[in-house]
């Protein structure tokens, strides 16, 4: 019961923290679209072409995970000025990522945010702890925008009661 209470508290308040981390003129955040898809530096028929740092990559059309599999997201600073977005996955997302990474060691997985390929790392070990990083050549602003945008659909936007549609 205690775990559930902590999860509910985090799920309720962390989106507000993520949004509050943006400059005031940027809140509330617009939702962002995130996709994890298999990637290859070699052309593959029917795979979508992207570019990352001037290098072509090809991504499988099938989406492995998307933002609906994220429970929480936060911008984090790594070493120096390197930023990333840490996500905590939903139960289904954690299960899927664990299965995908366990069965596909040494394959690349592309991380696409709003149609832009941010990175395509090689899967070196199973990811089974229900956490993932969205990384690439992103600065603080972009990391905060992505985190807030991932959390935007989870926000409680207004305290006003819902309006009835006009009668016809």
């Amino acid at each position: 019961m205690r775990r559930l209470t902590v999860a509910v508290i985090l799920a309720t308040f962390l989106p507000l923290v993520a949004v509050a981390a943006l400059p005031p003129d940027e809140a509330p955040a617009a939702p962002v679209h995130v996709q994890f898809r298999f990637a290859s530096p070699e052309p593959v028929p029917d795979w979508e072409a992207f570019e990352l740092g001037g290098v072509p990559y090809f991504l499988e059309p099938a989406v492995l995970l998307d933002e609906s599999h994220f429970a929480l997201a936060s911008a984090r600073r790594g070493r120096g000025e390197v930023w990333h977005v840490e996500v905590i996955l939903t139960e289904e997302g954690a299960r899927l990522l664990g299965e995908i990474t366990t069965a596909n060691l040494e394959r690349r997985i592309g991380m696409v945010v709003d149609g832009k390929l941010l990175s395509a790392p090689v899967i070196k070990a199973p990811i089974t702890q229900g956490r993932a990083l969205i990384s690439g050549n992103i600065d603080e602003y972009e990391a905060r925008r992505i985190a807030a945008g991932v959390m935007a659909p989870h926000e409680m936007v207004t305290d006003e009661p819902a309006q009835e549609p006009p009668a016809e």
Side-chain angles (χ1 to χ4, degrees), residues 2-19 70-74 76 86 88-89 131 151 154-156:
R2 184 176 175 167
R3 274 182 152 171
L4 179 59
T5 302
V6 171
V8 169
I9 290 169
L10 286 174
T12 302
F13 293 107
L14 192 59
L16 300 176
V17 171
V19 172
F70 303 161
L72 302 171
S74 60
R76 301 278 186 211
E86 180 180 6
I88 298 175
L89 301 165
R131 294 176 181 265
M151 295 310 304
H154 301 286
E155 292 175 25
M156 297 172 64

Side-chain angles (χ1 to χ4, degrees), residues 17-30 140-141 143-149:
V17 171
V19 172
L22 284 173
D25 61 334
E26 293 294 325
E140 177 181 6
Y141 177 83
R144 290 183 189 280
R145 183 191 75 79
I146 293 167

Side-chain angles (χ1 to χ4, degrees), residues 134-145:
I134 299 172
S135 60
N137 188 18
I138 57 176
D139 60 14
E140 177 181 6
Y141 177 83
E142 185 68 358
R144 290 183 189 280
R145 183 191 75 79

